[in-house]
Amino acid sequence: MLQFLTRKGQAGTSARRTDLLGQLSAPLRHFLHTESGGAGILLAATVLALVWANSPWSAAYVGLLHTHLSVSVGGAVLAMSVQHAVNDGLMVLFFFVIGLEVRREFSVGELTDRSRAVVPMIAALGGMALPALLYLLFNPSGPQAVGWGVVIGTDTAFMLGALALVGPRFSTQLRVFLLTLTVIDDFVAVTVIGVAYSDGVALGPLLVAVAGLCVIALLSRFGAWRAAPYLLLLLGIWLATLESGLHPSIAGMAAGLLVAAREPKRSDVEGAARLVRAFRQSPMAEVGDVARRGLARAISVNERLQTSLHPWSSYLVVPVFAFANAGIDLRGGVLADALGSPLTWGVVIGLVVGKFVGIGASALVSVRLGAGSLPQGVRSGHVLGGAGLSGIGFTVSLLIAGLAFDDSAMRDQATVGVLLAAVLATLLGWAVFAIAARFGQRDADLPQHLSTDVDAARDHVHGAPDAALTLVEYVDFECPFCSRTTGVTQELCREFGDRLRYVVRHLPLPDVHPHAEQASRAAEAAARQDRFWEMHDLLFARQDELEYEDLVGYAHELDLDVEQFMRDLDNPEVARRIREDVASAEASGAKTTPTFYVNGRRHRGPHDAQSLRVALEQTADPSRSASKEFPAE
């Protein structure tokens, strides 16, 4: 029996069993789940505020928001109302998390490939400029005109929550596109808040804030891995910015942008693993503390701060903000006055029509002109539906409304406009998605089926060529998760025997694994001497040693014709074979490694032995139900 599988392990994917997010990076999956989950709490807080503000106990609601809080240290006193503390205090944490996410996306996330960012960036700018212009058409002058910033933002949490309710059943790729768009949207919106809606600036405190930001940049530059110094500096920068007259939101965003994000280094990950094994062998407090620090060092402080703070931001800060700002007393003709005000309708038209046309037209025209392309699986109807939902401004819109209008009547009119726009934008998105579905534009997801059938004469097949079950894996020989799944596939091959054929195809990811393509060539060069599986095994066993001279050494170790092997490493036919596999991966929706296909259909969720076993058994016997194996979570 071929010894192509020697290591035990489990794939590194932690997607939910019924989700379609398995092909995304773990940080992005976490971000999307947290934002979507927070939308329900945000809606509940909004409804509670409106009900309380319009109840017989509305005076208690107003009294709560105007309750004064104060903190004194020596002769220094910081005093503000509850509403002020929420808007200018707690919201700094929200904008800090946004800054962290923007930095991560540009460093290691969706915006790393600038070509993929062009269309969302153009769409975001169009979706901010047109709403502002439409608002100013309704309110060209006077005190109402300063409210143009109310219509430029999109609430990510509410939008993703609405997408889950009214969007396509499978919308992973559309969600990524919209998240990329709102990252840029948030960045511009916070800049506008800091520049256009701040009071006169005091130079002394501003210099203190700038000095604090410089210290954060230096800590990040020199790899300070503890989170506490960054948070303490954020607190100091917030106080200085508050004293300077600038809105503190810009301090939060700027601080987050300066905290670097990076992919984990293999040496750090392996070192952390050794420390954890040491703790397992000697479970003492001091050994555990060292292991904990080793694990922390392996992950960038940016991602650790996001993981820790994002749930607090989505589940607490933003709902508390909504509770403190959405409670308008609509009695006594307030609602009638708002519905008759050009300010209200400027907000509604700006958000609903402006976002829909601005984002939709900018995205589709930029694609038509060749500036970029939409994500695979996303079509024009999906873009327009997402553009409709982007009219849900809410968090940023309410914040700017509070900053733009000193007059309470104008502020109430703007708030009514924001709330009405959220309802209408959701209905617009639902209608557009329904129309798009009628024209065949249903799922906004990656392809689900293998584009090229398995060819036993071409593909690398282990098992009976005519087996009833087929498991295809796209691999990258430098990917640690691929290495861990070798034990999984070994177990499955033993269990299913002649019923299963296991197929390996190449998907090297040179952007993150610089030796992957060369390793794939080595496997194909060995295949020309009928030793593919032996080389496959060696490459995964020695992932840290994939230099050219290492590969030649492996050929010698396997008793290959080394000269022929070296010639085949540079053989154009070998390179063409790998390109064909990569092209089939792209056409099949495989974006990351490992990606599995069970009898031609992409496997969703974890790729541990149990999950793949269930998928294979369901293929063999469709009457089996996944819910029996995986109860709802």
Side-chain angles (χ1 to χ4, degrees), residues 543-623:
Q543 275 190 325
D544 294 336
E545 300 171 337
L546 297 177
E547 299 290 347
Y548 183 84
E549 57 272 18
D550 298 319
L551 302 178
V552 173
Y554 302 153
H556 178 76
E557 186 175 337
L558 295 174
D559 293 325
L560 301 182
D561 182 334
V562 175
E563 291 187 6
Q564 180 64 40
F565 176 83
M566 293 171 68
R567 285 195 296 270
D568 285 337
L569 280 177
D570 297 320
N571 189 323
E573 287 298 310
V574 168
R576 182 183 61 80
R577 164 65 187 266
I578 295 169
R579 287 198 302 270
E580 288 175 353
D581 276 4
V582 172
S584 76
E586 181 177 353
S588 305
K591 294 290 187 182
T592 61
T593 55
T595 298
F596 286 94
Y597 289 79
V598 177
N599 269 27
R601 184 174 180 83
R602 180 156 56 88
H603 173 68
R604 301 195 285 260
H607 19 78
D608 59 278
Q610 174 64 7
S611 300
L612 289 168
R613 181 183 300 111
V614 170
L616 288 165
E617 289 172 345
Q618 284 181 319
T619 302
D621 181 4
S623 65

Side-chain angles (χ1 to χ4, degrees), residues 81-160:
S81 67
V82 168
Q83 188 174 41
H84 188 193
V86 170
N87 293 356
D88 289 356
L90 281 181
M91 286 299 285
V92 172
L93 183 65
F94 168 76
F95 289 113
F96 180 61
V97 171
I98 288 177
L100 292 170
E101 175 62 18
V102 172
R103 177 61 183 269
R104 196 200 72 83
E105 289 302 311
F106 273 101
S107 297
V108 297
E110 293 299 311
L111 300 179
T112 306
D113 183 352
R114 300 299 184 258
S115 63
R116 294 165 61 184
V118 171
V119 173
M121 186 174 294
I122 294 173
L125 295 176
M128 301 179 89
L130 185 60
L133 290 174
L134 289 177
Y135 176 88
L136 290 173
L137 284 178
F138 280 80
N139 303 276
S141 60
Q144 298 94 328
V146 299
W148 59 270
V150 173
V151 298
I152 65 175
T154 294
D155 190 293
T156 307
F158 254 148
M159 180 193 65
L160 292 178

Side-chain angles (χ1 to χ4, degrees), residues 29-44 156-158 160-162 164 175 310-311 314-316 319:
R29 292 199 306 272
H30 177 77
F31 187 90
L32 288 169
H33 279 308
T34 306
E35 286 291 326
S36 299
I41 302 175
L42 181 57
L43 178 61
T156 307
F158 254 148
L160 292 178
R175 293 171 86 186
H310 192 196
S314 293
Y315 298 142
L316 177 64

Side-chain angles (χ1 to χ4, degrees), residues 191-221:
T191 303
V192 167
I193 292 172
V195 173
Y197 295 104
S198 293
D199 300 326
V201 178
L203 185 59
L206 179 61
L207 291 176
V208 173
V210 171
L213 292 172
C214 290
V215 175
I216 285 183
L218 288 173
L219 287 175
S220 181
R221 174 69 179 81

Side-chain angles (χ1 to χ4, degrees), residues 260-281:
R262 58 171 174 77
E263 293 285 1
K265 296 179 181 178
R266 182 182 296 276
S267 58
D268 292 341
V269 174
E270 294 299 331
R274 287 193 295 272
L275 293 171
V276 170
R277 286 195 295 271
F279 175 68
R280 183 178 181 181
Q281 294 170 355

Side-chain angles (χ1 to χ4, degrees), residues 443-486:
D443 297 340
D445 185 43
L446 293 171
Q448 298 297 306
H449 296 278
L450 203 61
S451 66
T452 307
D453 291 336
V454 173
D455 181 352
R458 175 196 179 277
D459 280 304
H460 303 296
V461 179
H462 175 74
D466 58 349
L469 301 175
T470 300
L471 182 65
V472 176
E473 180 183 8
Y474 282 95
V475 305
D476 175 317
F477 285 106
E478 203 173 0
C479 169
F481 299 130
C482 290
S483 176
R484 295 172 194 171
T485 59
T486 55

Side-chain angles (χ1 to χ4, degrees), residues 242-458:
L242 199 63
E243 287 296 312
S244 74
L246 282 175
H247 192 272
S249 62
I250 199 165
M253 171 71 85
L257 287 171
L258 292 172
V259 181
R262 58 171 174 77
E263 293 285 1
K265 296 179 181 178
R266 182 182 296 276
S267 58
D268 292 341
V269 174
E270 294 299 331
R274 287 193 295 272
L275 293 171
V276 170
R277 286 195 295 271
F279 175 68
R280 183 178 181 181
Q281 294 170 355
S282 303
M284 297 182 291
E286 58 270 25
V287 180
D289 190 52
V290 172
R292 181 185 57 79
R293 291 199 298 269
L295 289 169
R297 286 194 183 96
I299 306 297
S300 70
V301 68
N302 179 296
E303 294 194 29
R304 283 190 287 114
L305 283 169
Q306 277 195 70
T307 301
S308 300
L309 299 178
H310 192 196
W312 288 99
S313 172
S314 293
Y315 298 142
L316 177 64
V317 173
V318 174
V320 167
F321 169 83
F323 175 77
N325 289 272
I328 309 172
D329 190 342
L330 299 174
R331 297 168 296 183
V334 171
L335 180 60
D337 291 343
L339 294 178
S341 168
L343 194 160
T344 299
W345 291 107
V347 171
V348 172
I349 299 300
L351 283 171
V352 179
V353 178
K355 288 286 185 181
F356 176 67
V357 176
I359 291 175
S362 297
L364 298 180
V365 170
S366 63
V367 170
R368 180 62 62 89
L369 295 177
S373 60
L374 296 174
Q376 189 178 8
V378 175
R379 301 169 69 182
S380 57
H382 303 138
V383 172
L384 292 174
L389 295 182
S390 297
I392 304 175
F394 209 78
T395 303
V396 174
S397 296
L398 291 179
L399 179 61
I400 294 179
L403 296 172
F405 302 118
D406 294 326
D407 181 77
S408 60
M410 290 185 182
R411 191 163 56 248
D412 289 347
Q413 291 165 12
T415 303
V416 170
V418 170
L419 297 174
L420 181 58
V423 175
L424 294 177
T426 303
L427 293 175
L428 175 61
W430 168 78
V432 173
F433 283 128
I435 294 171
R438 288 183 173 273
F439 286 91
Q441 298 184 22
R442 293 180 176 84
D443 297 340
D445 185 43
L446 293 171
Q448 298 297 306
H449 296 278
L450 203 61
S451 66
T452 307
D453 291 336
V454 173
D455 181 352
R458 175 196 179 277

